[in-house]
């Protein structure tokens, strides 16, 4: 058979046979190719459909960047209606696609270098509308398999404008929250007390010392920082806000991770859903504000020197104590403590020593009472103690109050070490027991004040229980104060003049004494109302009256040849002399009445010596410039220091009448008067003796060099017209002018 075939092939018909076989093979190949072509064509059509239906923009572009194909998503992204319109628009337009210059070149460089670009984020224009949008773009190069030549590149474009906006907002939000002085938070509360922290900003770490991640992992992290004393109220406030679905606001103390105690403010708004409440809130560190509030409260309610509650806080506490007594049906007690002779200590030793003493007194008072009781400083040297729950019976309350008062006196009697000074103090204590029947705190304080003055009148360093009978005397005192105010407007006050004579018995001047002719009580002497005027702010009115009335009289004397030689002295209180406008007032009145100031003497009590010596010396120098003389009244009874007396520009001393009254019977008073008279001669001063009542006193005074005399031996104080009559009815022999004193007490 093989040979037959060979014969056939070897024969002339082999070409025919080969042709037949080849034709069959070609036919089969054509059939196969067509089948593959049709299948590929179908797949291509399917792929085109798939690309056209993608939500991402798909494109094909030549290596130079010119687009040659794009799907419908890309067409819409660029604002066109069809692929043809888009390709023509891109081809014909010279408008930049990328917003940032050079961004396209950067894309091309990466593509040509790496053969691909992935997630290339850029801001571009919608090509047709020029609206700015953000996209992310990826692409790959397609090469010729045989030559390796770059044919084109294919890529995808997805718009991410909303994503970028959200990311920018989140970035901005993070920046803002990171710079907030507090932290934002969001958490959920479920009915079973389970909580879930949803969000915490970075600022929370600055407050708590715990990172946001830790707060998110542990919803109780912040609550655990709240100090034990505040935690119950903190949780209760949140539960109450949740129950009422109201905003939650609270201020609470926490202890941060580093151990610092801080005040924080919580402010959150609730949002209820079916299964929980979501809180959206803010926490802030308010430690600085709280510190300022406490400082303000201390200024408003605490004495800055002793750190004790002040009068305002005392009255608030006292009001609460009264209400509590009424509610419980028991008693309380108020102790009013006034330090004896504090003014002397403060004026003579200086304010630093005085302040040191007050601080130590406050400390000792605290130790005398229970923690629930109150000690307060309500004035310069005035303290109060409020004792609460002293017993159901007034007797029990009185016993507790008196016992505490005695403990206080004992504590204050122990020596105080005040720097270089060792001082033994004492106090006068007034006691009032209250039960709530009297509702006014100021009324109970007034009763304790009255009791304190009773203790002081009894000799100081003692305790007095309030006696209701004293209220009548106090009421009378306040009625007199009211009448005194009326006396100024109704011209009920007048000046009387008591002659002053020299050693020959000739009148050289007069001392003026203020008198009050009360419409119902009759004549009231200065001892009964001058101190009242000084205590209740009428001192200036009284001083103005005395100056005006006295200078009016002096002006009249200077116009009368018979009386022109007479001098007048005006007693100046410590309050008046310490006033900044005293010299100005005196200057204006001297000018207004046109008097010769050299015929005028200002009489100062020894209390002025206890004041600021530099201030006193300066004020006295101003007075001397006016031309007036200066006299030191009641010498020997106060605070005079010979060293200071020598430095100050006094012209004369006035011997206190109490020494003059006893020079006949008291060896001590006689020795003292002789010493005073010798000292005045040594210092070159004149000496004036008051309250001279008989010739024996006058003889003793004249024998030891007294210059001037005044008292009932010569004349009582008389009204101005009667004083003038003494000169015109029987004019006394005129003597060389000498100083005359004015006394208001």
């Amino acid at each position: 058979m093989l040979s037959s075939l060979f014969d056939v092939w070897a024969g002339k018909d082999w070409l025919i046979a080969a042709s037949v076989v080849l034709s069959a093979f070609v036919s089969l190949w054509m059939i196969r190719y067509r089948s593959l072509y049709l299948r590929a064509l179908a797949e291509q059509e399917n792929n085109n459909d798939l690309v056209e239906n993608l939500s991402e923009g798909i494109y094909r572009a030549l290596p130079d960047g010119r687009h040659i194909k794009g799907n419908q998503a890309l067409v819409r992204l660029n604002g066109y209606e069809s692929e043809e319109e888009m390709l023509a628009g891109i081809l014909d337009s010279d408008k930049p696609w990328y917003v940032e210059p050079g961004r396209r070149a950067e894309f091309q460089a990466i593509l040509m270098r790496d053969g691909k670009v992935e997630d290339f984020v850029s801001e571009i224009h919608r090509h047709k509308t020029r609206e700015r949008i953000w996209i992310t773009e990826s692409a790959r190069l397609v090469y010729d398999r045989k030559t390796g030549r770059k044919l084109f590149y294919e890529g995808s474009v997805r718009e991410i404008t909303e994503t970028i906006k959200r990311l920018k907002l989140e970035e901005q939000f993070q920046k803002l929250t990171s710079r907030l002085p507090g932290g934002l938070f969001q958490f959920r509360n479920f009915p079973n007390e389970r909580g879930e922290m949803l969000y915490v900003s970075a600022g929370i770490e600055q407050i708590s010392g715990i990172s946001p991640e830790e707060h998110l992992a542990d919803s109780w992290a912040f609550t655990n920082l709240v100090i034990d004393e505040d935690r119950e109220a903190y949780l209760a406030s949140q539960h109450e806000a949740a129950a009422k679905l109201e905003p939650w606001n609270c201020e609470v103390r926490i202890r941060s991770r580093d151990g610092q105690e801080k005040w924080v403010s919580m402010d959150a708004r609730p949002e209820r859903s079916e299964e929980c409440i979501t809180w959206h809130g803010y926490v802030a560190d308010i430690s600085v504000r709280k510190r300022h509030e406490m400082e303000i409260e201390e200024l408003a309610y605490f004495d800055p020197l002793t750190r004790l509650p002040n009068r305002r806080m005392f009255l608030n506490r006292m009001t609460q104590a009264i209400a509590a007594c009424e509610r419980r049906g028991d008693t309380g007690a108020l102790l009013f403590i006034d330090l004896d002779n504090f003014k002397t200590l403060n004026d003579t030793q200086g304010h630093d020593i005085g302040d040191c003493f007050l601080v130590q007194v406050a400390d000792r008072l605290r130790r005398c009472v229970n923690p629930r009781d109150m000690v307060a400083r309500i004035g310069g040297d005035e303290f109060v103690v409020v004792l609460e729950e002293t017993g159901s019976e007034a007797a029990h309350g009185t016993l507790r109050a008196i016992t505490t008062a005695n403990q206080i006196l004992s504590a204050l009697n122990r020596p105080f070490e005040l720097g270089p000074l060792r001082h033994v103090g004492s106090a006068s204590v007034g006691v009032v027991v209250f039960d709530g029947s009297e509702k006014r705190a100021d009324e109970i304080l007034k009763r304790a004040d009255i009791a304190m003055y009773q203790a002081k009148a009894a000799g100081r360093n003692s305790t007095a229980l309030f006696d209701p009978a004293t209220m009548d005397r106090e009421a009378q005192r306040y009625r007199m104060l009211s009448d005194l105010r009326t006396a100024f407007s109704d011209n009920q006050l007048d000046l009387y003049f008591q002659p002053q004579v020299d050693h020959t018995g000739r009148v050289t001047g007069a001392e003026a004494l203020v008198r009050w002719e009360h419409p119902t009580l009759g004549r009231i002497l200065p001892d009964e109302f001058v101190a009242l005027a000084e205590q209740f702010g009428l001192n200036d009115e009284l001083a103005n009256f005395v100056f005006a009335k006295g200078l009016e009289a002096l002006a009249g004397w200077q116009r009368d040849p018979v009386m022109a030689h007479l001098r007048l002295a005006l007693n100046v209180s410590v309050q008046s002399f310490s006033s900044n406008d005293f010299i100005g007032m005196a200057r204006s009145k001297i000018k207004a009445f046109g008097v010769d100031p050299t015929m005028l003497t200002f009489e100062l009590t020894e209390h002025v010596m206890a004041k600021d010596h530099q201030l006193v010396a300066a004020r006295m120098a101003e007075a001397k410039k006016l031309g007036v003389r200066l006299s030191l009244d009641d010498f020997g009874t106060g605070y005079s220091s010979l060293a200071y007396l020598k430095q100050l520009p006094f012209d004369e001393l006035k011997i206190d009448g109490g020494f003059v009254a006893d020079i006949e019977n008291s060896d001590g008073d006689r020795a003292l008067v002789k010493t005073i008279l010798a000292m005045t001669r040594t210092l070159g001063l004149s000496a004036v003796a008051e309250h001279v009542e008989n010739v024996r006193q006058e003889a003793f005074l004249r024998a030891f060099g007294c210059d001037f005399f005044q008292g009932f031996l010569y004349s009582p104080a008389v009204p101005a017209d009667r004083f003038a009559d003494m000169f015109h009815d029987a004019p006394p022999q005129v003597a060389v002018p000498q100083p005359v004193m004015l006394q208001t007490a």
Side-chain angles (χ1 to χ4, degrees):
M1 179 161 183
L2 288 172
S3 60
S4 298
L5 268 154
F6 180 78
D7 289 341
V8 174
W9 283 99
K12 63 179 183 178
D13 295 326
W14 71 273
L15 291 173
I16 298 172
S19 176
V20 171
V21 172
L22 183 59
S23 298
F25 179 78
V26 170
S27 296
L28 290 173
W29 182 84
M30 290 295 291
I31 293 170
R32 175 64 176 169
Y33 178 80
R34 180 178 177 79
S35 175
L36 290 174
Y37 174 77
L38 292 174
R39 184 184 301 172
L41 186 62
E43 289 178 355
Q44 181 67 30
E45 290 296 328
N46 290 335
N47 286 338
N48 288 339
D49 291 341
L50 180 62
V51 169
E52 289 298 323
N53 292 321
L54 287 175
S55 60
E56 290 189 2
I58 305 297
Y59 66 88
R60 179 175 293 173
L62 297 177
D64 63 2
R66 181 165 56 88
H67 282 60
I68 58 176
K69 191 167 182 61
N71 68 351
Q72 284 300 310
L74 187 68
V75 170
R76 290 192 298 271
L77 185 144
N78 282 285
Y80 292 100
E81 297 294 330
S82 66
E83 181 184 20
E84 292 76 12
E85 183 187 6
M86 182 188 72
L87 294 176
I90 294 173
L91 181 64
D92 296 339
S93 174
D94 59 353
K95 296 177 181 178
W97 198 2
Y98 291 90
V99 173
E100 184 181 343
R103 190 64 173 165
R104 176 169 181 162
E106 185 179 350
F107 176 85
Q108 292 287 93
I110 297 173
L111 179 64
M112 296 306 163
R113 183 192 67 202
D114 300 336
K116 64 178 180 179
V117 178
E118 294 182 350
D119 299 323
F120 191 80
V121 176
S122 303
E123 188 178 17
I124 68 168
H125 297 285
R126 289 195 201 279
H127 199 272
K128 182 177 181 179
T129 64
R130 309 311 293 168
E131 176 189 358
R132 290 166 66 154
I133 62 173
W134 284 87
I135 62 167
T136 177
E137 184 176 4
S138 298
R140 68 181 182 86
L141 276 173
V142 178
Y143 301 88
D144 187 303
R145 292 183 179 179
K146 292 182 179 181
T147 66
R149 182 171 61 86
K150 299 180 182 69
L151 298 176
F152 53 84
Y153 63 89
E154 296 175 330
S156 64
V157 179
R158 178 164 57 88
E159 183 177 353
I160 58 170
T161 302
E162 294 303 321
T163 302
I164 292 295
K165 287 181 179 179
R166 178 173 56 81
L167 290 174
K168 283 189 173 182
L169 286 174
E170 288 181 359
E171 180 184 9
Q172 188 177 27
F173 178 73
Q174 291 296 333
K175 287 181 179 179
L176 288 173
T177 56
S178 67
R179 288 168 172 78
L180 282 174
L184 298 173
F185 63 85
Q186 189 178 54
F187 73 93
R188 289 175 181 162
N189 275 142
F190 294 91
N192 60 0
E193 301 297 326
R194 182 172 63 88
E196 178 185 7
M197 192 66 71
L198 302 177
Y199 172 79
V200 179
S201 70
I204 197 74
E205 188 169 1
Q206 298 175 358
I207 296 175
S208 66
I210 300 176
S211 68
E213 292 75 21
E214 292 178 88
H215 281 288
L216 292 173
D218 181 5
S219 61
W220 285 89
F222 191 87
T223 302
N224 292 335
L225 297 177
V226 178
I227 66 173
D228 295 340
E229 294 89 336
D230 292 2
R231 190 170 300 160
E232 182 178 352
Y234 167 76
L235 294 173
S237 67
Q238 183 190 355
H239 291 158
E240 182 179 359
K244 298 179 180 179
L245 205 65
E246 293 179 347
W248 176 35
N249 304 101
C250 78
E251 295 179 354
V252 67
R253 290 172 294 171
I254 67 168
R255 195 172 303 282
S256 61
R257 176 168 281 178
D258 61 3
Q260 291 187 59
E261 184 176 301
K262 301 178 179 179
W263 275 96
V264 297
S265 171
M266 308 286 291
D267 188 346
R269 298 295 183 270
E271 179 184 354
R272 180 180 289 281
S273 63
E274 292 183 1
E275 59 178 8
C276 66
I277 295 177
T278 301
W279 295 92
H280 311 274
Y282 175 72
V283 58
D285 185 342
I286 58 171
S287 300
V288 174
R289 193 199 83 199
K290 277 292 185 179
R291 185 167 64 250
H292 290 166
E293 287 179 356
M294 292 179 198
E295 290 173 355
I296 292 172
E297 182 179 3
E298 284 203 9
L299 290 174
Y301 292 101
F302 288 86
D303 171 47
L305 176 64
T306 63
R307 317 306 296 174
L308 290 175
N310 61 13
R311 176 181 286 268
R312 177 184 293 181
M313 189 171 183
F314 155 70
L315 291 173
N316 290 344
R317 175 72 175 273
M318 189 66 192
T319 301
Q320 296 171 10
I322 294 169
C325 283
E326 184 180 25
R327 185 174 61 253
R328 293 190 305 260
D330 61 7
T331 62
L334 175 64
L335 279 60
F336 193 115
I337 304 157
D338 183 88
L339 303 178
D340 296 333
N341 300 316
F342 171 74
K343 187 176 185 302
T344 302
L345 173 70
N346 201 45
D347 290 343
T348 59
Q349 301 301 321
H351 295 296
D352 291 343
I353 294 295
D355 288 350
C356 181
F357 177 56
L358 292 173
V359 170
Q360 292 188 32
V361 167
D363 183 58
R364 295 190 188 186
L365 291 178
R366 288 190 191 97
R367 298 178 186 179
C368 292
V369 300
N370 296 327
R372 67 175 180 273
D373 299 324
M374 175 191 232
V375 179
R377 182 188 179 203
I378 62 171
D381 61 345
E382 296 175 339
F383 296 82
V384 290
V385 172
V386 181
L387 305 177
E388 296 196 54
E389 300 184 51
T390 58
S392 58
E393 301 294 335
H396 295 156
T398 302
L399 178 61
R400 163 94 188 280
I402 294 297
T403 300
T404 303
N406 289 334
Q407 291 173 347
I408 289 172
L409 291 179
S410 177
L412 298 182
N413 286 157
R414 296 196 301 271
F416 290 83
E417 301 296 335
L418 307 176
L421 178 67
R422 183 180 176 87
H423 175 68
V424 178
S426 67
S428 301
V429 183
V431 177
V432 173
V433 177
F434 56 89
D435 58 6
S437 57
E438 172 55 64
K439 304 296 190 297
R440 294 171 52 195
D442 58 341
E443 179 62 28
I444 296 176
L445 178 63
K446 184 171 74 173
R447 295 175 184 178
D449 187 18
I450 292 171
M452 181 275 295
Y453 273 108
Q454 290 176 318
K456 198 172 286 290
R460 306 188 178 190
N461 194 31
S462 62
T463 299
L465 188 65
F466 172 71
D467 179 6
T470 60
M471 289 297 291
D472 293 337
R473 293 193 295 272
E474 190 66 15
Q476 181 180 356
R477 185 163 170 262
Y478 276 92
R479 282 195 298 271
M480 180 174 288
L481 175 64
S482 177
D483 292 345
L484 181 58
R485 298 182 191 276
T486 304
F488 287 111
S489 58
D490 291 354
N491 297 319
Q492 296 175 11
L493 299 178
D494 199 2
L495 283 187
Y496 278 43
F497 300 90
Q498 186 173 32
Q500 189 177 51
V501 302
D502 63 9
H503 64 283
T504 67
R506 288 176 288 190
V507 179
T508 59
E511 175 184 5
L513 300 169
V514 65
R515 296 290 185 262
W516 178 12
E517 295 295 334
H518 194 281
T520 58
L521 300 178
R523 181 173 299 172
I524 301 177
L525 297 178
D527 290 344
E528 299 182 53
F529 66 86
V530 170
L532 198 65
E534 293 180 352
Q535 180 180 357
F536 290 97
L538 297 178
N539 184 69
D540 288 344
E541 288 186 69
L542 183 59
N544 285 331
F545 165 79
V546 170
F547 264 75
K549 199 74 173 177
L551 293 181
E552 180 184 11
L554 181 60
W557 298 348
Q558 293 181 355
R559 291 192 298 269
D560 187 338
V562 177
M563 303 176 68
H565 67 285
L566 297 177
R567 292 184 177 276
L568 179 68
L570 301 181
N571 189 308
V572 179
S573 70
V574 175
Q575 287 184 351
S576 295
F577 197 70
S578 301
S579 174
N580 291 329
D581 59 355
F582 168 74
I583 297 296
M585 182 272 290
R587 181 185 295 110
S588 65
K589 288 193 179 300
I590 289 172
K591 182 178 180 180
F593 285 97
V595 300
D596 179 1
T598 62
M599 305 301 288
L600 184 64
T601 300
F602 290 164
E603 184 179 334
L604 308 173
T605 64
E606 284 191 276
H607 290 83
V608 77
M609 303 283 284
K611 291 292 183 181
D612 184 331
H613 299 113
Q614 291 185 346
L615 174 64
V616 169
R619 194 63 49 81
M620 292 178 74
E622 292 176 350
K624 294 294 290 182
K625 288 180 181 179
L626 294 178
V628 302
R629 290 169 59 89
L630 298 175
S631 176
L632 183 59
D633 189 22
D634 297 335
F635 185 77
T637 63
Y639 306 87
S640 296
S641 163
L642 293 179
Y644 289 135
L645 181 61
K646 185 177 179 181
Q647 296 172 9
L648 297 177
F650 282 108
D651 297 290
E652 63 188 31
L653 299 182
K654 190 170 188 181
I655 304 171
D656 183 73
F659 301 130
V660 174
D662 290 336
I663 57 176
E664 295 180 81
N665 305 314
S666 171
D667 292 338
D669 286 348
R670 283 197 297 272
L672 180 59
V673 170
K674 286 192 291 184
T675 301
I676 293 174
L677 291 173
M679 183 186 67
T680 57
R681 288 194 300 273
T682 301
L683 296 176
L685 304 177
S686 299
V688 181
E690 63 178 357
H691 296 181
V692 180
E693 298 181 354
N694 57 60
V695 294
R696 292 180 300 277
Q697 294 171 343
E698 181 192 47
F700 178 87
L701 292 166
R702 185 185 300 112
F704 288 98
C706 187
D707 300 294
F708 302 101
F709 311 88
Q710 176 185 339
F712 281 2
L713 177 61
Y714 314 104
S715 172
V718 295
D721 55 352
R722 286 184 55 190
F723 181 74
D725 290 343
M726 294 170 57
F727 292 86
H728 292 90
D729 293 345
Q733 184 178 351
V734 177
V736 177
Q738 295 292 336
V740 180
M741 317 311 306
L742 167 65
Q743 175 178 304
T744 59

